[in-house]
């Protein structure tokens, strides 16, 4: 596939890393020669230096022969214009990153398609969805959703005094519940483990559970019988994410307090939301300001400023002062791998990584594709398609327990979600979900089709 990626920033860079393989020809366009050179040093790509919305630059990038154009720059107008140019040359699919959908109007039938855009991604909006997803219970640290609404993968951190601590998977007391879920992967001391029947849970383990929501909720109740739902939330920063997150949380019914250093921004947000929101004016890294906001009694503390260092610092401080759960936004790619290892921070979300996941969800493949890049671990959620010629087709999963490099998580069969357990036999058309590293997926894919689409 001939793919053009516009923008060599965090989103474009990660997409280039993920999609670059022998079956894809990647061209990356950016106005920064420095960013392009960094990519060229590590990947076998073509780099074009220039304006991503410039007609001549796109011609030079090979837009006439492109199958896919992904516009990921931070400029909405440039992304839209680039998609228009691509459609002029009949590029099969265009994906456009935007900060808002104000460019379109359903009322006047002015749709994305009118501007040559096949699919839209909104990183900030998707990031907010993920934050809200982990607020349901304190022990949830990450969630992965699927188009099939009943299927999900939820990661929980096993708390102190948990009944799950010290329990071997095969000895889990509720066998009926165990048959409905899969313990897909586990993070222990920042190392990814593939759990088996003899694996014993320990305090601090981050366990990825696959299944339907009701069954996962039952596991959560068992893992932490005293687990309370989040009610009182403190948000740092009247950024786009901070503002929109505040609005959504208030609408859902949460009690929200927002700390903003700029009196003007705080006043604007207060005027917009009125009495439903409490705004505290002050420096979020000041302990007295956090104390005034009631950090010691809050259920969740979320830092959404544009400064990663400030986000991390305020979260660590809030945790020490008594916040039950702290969540940070990270904008720089360097912090994506660092945040999971900081003990004082419960969750970290990167709008850039969320944007990459949104793009990946829009791409289909013959055999396998990356559904999501995990926020907490250096691993991927893969979706693999079972073909009639797949070696694993028609075989019982129990026959593969010791031969597969990972634990299969879910099976999507038509309109049905099936846990990947027991005597289940895979059928043609099944979609298999698994958490794996790029190394493991090479082995796993041989059971589905010898030809590998992704070589990460």
């Amino acid at each position: 596939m001939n793919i053009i990626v516009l923008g060599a920033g965090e989103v474009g860079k990660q997409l280039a890393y993920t999609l670059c393989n022998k079956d894809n020809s990647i061209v990356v366009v950016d106005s920064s020669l420095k960013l392009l050179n960094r990519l060229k040093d590590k990947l076998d790509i073509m780099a074009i230096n220039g304006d991503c919305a410039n007609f001549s630059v796109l011609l030079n990038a090979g837009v006439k022969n492109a199958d896919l154009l992904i516009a990921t720059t931070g400029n909405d107008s440039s992304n839209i214009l680039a998609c228009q140019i691509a459609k002029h040359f009949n590029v099969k699919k265009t994906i456009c990153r935007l900060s808002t959908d104000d460019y379109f109007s359903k009322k006047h039938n002015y749709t994305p398609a009118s501007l040559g855009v096949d699919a839209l991604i909104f990183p900030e909006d998707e990031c907010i969805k993920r934050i809200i997803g982990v607020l349901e219970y304190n022990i949830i640290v990450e969630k992965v959703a699927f188009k099939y609404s009943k299927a999900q993968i939820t990661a929980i951190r096993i708390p102190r005094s948990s009944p799950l601590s010290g329990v071997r998977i095969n000895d889990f007391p509720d066998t009926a519940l165990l048959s409905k879920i899969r313990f897909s992967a586990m993070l222990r001391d920042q190392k990814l483990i593939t759990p088996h029947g003899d694996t014993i849970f320990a305090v601090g383990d981050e366990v990825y559970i696959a299944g339907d929501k009701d069954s996962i909720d039952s596991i959560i109740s068992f893992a932490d019988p005293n687990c309370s739902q989040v009610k009182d939330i403190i948000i740092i920063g009247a950024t786009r994410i901070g503002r929109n997150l505040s609005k959504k949380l208030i609408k859902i019914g949460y009690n929200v307090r927002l700390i903003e250093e700029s009196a003007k921004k705080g006043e604007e947000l207060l005027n917009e939301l009125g009495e439903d929101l409490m705004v505290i004016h002050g420096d979020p890294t000041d302990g007295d300001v956090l104390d005034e906001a009631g950090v010691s009694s809050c259920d969740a503390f979320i830092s959404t400023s544009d400064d990663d260092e400030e986000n991390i610092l305020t979260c660590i401080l809030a945790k020490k002062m008594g916040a039950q759960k702290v969540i940070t936004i990270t904008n720089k790619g360097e912090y994506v791998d660092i945040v999971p290892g900081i003990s004082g921070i419960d969750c970290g979300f990167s709008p850039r990584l969320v944007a990459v996941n949104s793009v990946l969800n829009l791409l289909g493949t013959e055999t396998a594709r990356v559904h999501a890049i995990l926020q907490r671990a250096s691993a991927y959620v893969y979706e693999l398609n079972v073909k009639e010629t797949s070696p694993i087709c028609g075989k019982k999963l129990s026959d593969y327990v010791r031969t597969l490099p990972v634990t299969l998580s879910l099976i999507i069969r038509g309109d049905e979600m099936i846990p990947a357990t027991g005597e289940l036999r895979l059928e043609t058309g099944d979609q298999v979900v698994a958490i794996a590293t790029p190394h493991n997926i090479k082995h796993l894919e041989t059971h589905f089709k010898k030809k590998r689409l992704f070589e990460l």
Side-chain angles (χ1 to χ4, degrees), residues 238 243 250 256 258 260 263-280:
R243 294 195 308 269
I250 289 172
V256 180
L258 184 138
E260 171 54 51
K264 181 181 178 181
K265 289 182 179 179
E267 186 176 347
E268 289 174 353
L269 188 57
L270 189 61
N271 290 335
E272 184 177 352
L273 297 180
E275 297 179 355
D276 292 327
L277 176 70
M278 177 185 291
V279 176
I280 295 95

Side-chain angles (χ1 to χ4, degrees), residues 125-137:
D125 291 348
E126 289 299 318
C127 197
I128 288 171
K129 288 180 184 178
R130 283 158 176 73
I131 292 173
I132 293 175
V134 301
L135 288 176
E136 188 174 9
Y137 296 102

Side-chain angles (χ1 to χ4, degrees), residues 102-326:
D102 291 344
Y103 295 92
F104 315 108
S105 172
K106 289 184 179 179
K107 180 180 178 181
H108 299 93
N109 196 32
Y110 194 62
T111 65
S114 304
L115 295 174
V117 179
D118 293 316
L120 296 170
I121 57 171
F122 300 96
E124 287 84 4
D125 291 348
E126 289 299 318
C127 197
I128 288 171
K129 288 180 184 178
R130 283 158 176 73
I131 292 173
I132 293 175
V134 301
L135 288 176
E136 188 174 9
Y137 296 102
N138 274 327
I139 65 172
I140 295 177
V141 293
E142 186 170 6
K143 273 188 179 182
V144 179
F146 299 87
K147 291 180 180 178
Y148 185 77
S149 60
K150 292 184 180 180
Q152 64 177 246
I153 296 178
T154 299
I156 65 170
R157 183 183 294 118
I158 298 176
R160 295 186 183 279
S161 304
S162 170
L164 201 57
S165 177
V167 173
R168 194 171 65 119
I169 290 180
N170 279 343
D171 296 332
F172 188 81
D174 191 337
T175 55
L177 179 58
L178 193 61
S179 68
K180 296 178 181 178
I181 59 95
R182 288 293 270 173
F183 296 111
S184 304
M186 181 185 297
L187 268 181
R188 178 176 291 169
D189 298 325
Q190 297 304 301
K191 293 182 179 179
L192 192 68
I193 299 172
T194 298
H196 297 288
D198 293 331
T199 302
I200 298 174
F201 297 109
V203 172
D205 285 347
E206 295 183 11
V207 185
Y208 286 83
I209 310 164
D212 64 89
K213 186 180 186 306
D214 290 340
S215 298
I216 292 175
D217 284 350
S218 296
I219 294 287
I220 291 173
S221 297
F222 179 86
D224 188 4
N226 300 315
C227 189
S228 58
Q229 292 185 319
V230 174
K231 294 181 180 178
D232 298 316
I233 298 174
I234 294 175
I235 295 176
I236 302 299
T239 58
R240 181 183 288 118
I241 290 180
R243 294 195 308 269
N244 291 334
L245 178 61
S246 297
K247 295 175 187 176
K248 289 184 180 295
L249 290 176
I250 289 172
K251 187 175 181 179
I252 294 171
Y254 289 99
N255 300 319
V256 180
R257 285 159 280 173
L258 184 138
I259 301 175
E260 171 54 51
E261 194 165 7
S262 167
K264 181 181 178 181
K265 289 182 179 179
E267 186 176 347
E268 289 174 353
L269 188 57
L270 189 61
N271 290 335
E272 184 177 352
L273 297 180
E275 297 179 355
D276 292 327
L277 176 70
M278 177 185 291
V279 176
I280 295 95
H281 174 223
D283 182 355
T285 62
D286 187 329
D288 290 336
V289 174
L290 294 181
D291 187 54
E292 179 188 346
V295 69
S296 61
S297 60
C298 75
D299 298 314
F301 180 94
I302 310 168
S303 192
T304 72
S305 82
D306 294 323
D307 188 311
D308 287 355
E309 289 81 5
E310 180 179 286
N311 285 337
I312 292 170
L313 178 60
T314 53
C315 279
I316 293 173
L317 184 58
K319 193 70 171 183
K320 287 184 176 180
M321 293 178 68
Q324 290 295 308
K325 185 172 190 173
V326 297

Side-chain angles (χ1 to χ4, degrees), residues 409-431:
S409 304
L410 297 168
I411 311 296
I412 307 297
R413 180 175 292 169
D415 295 329
E416 185 181 7
M417 187 276 293
I418 309 171
T421 59
E423 299 300 296
L424 179 72
R425 292 180 185 272
L426 291 179
E427 299 177 358
T428 302
D430 283 351
Q431 190 175 68

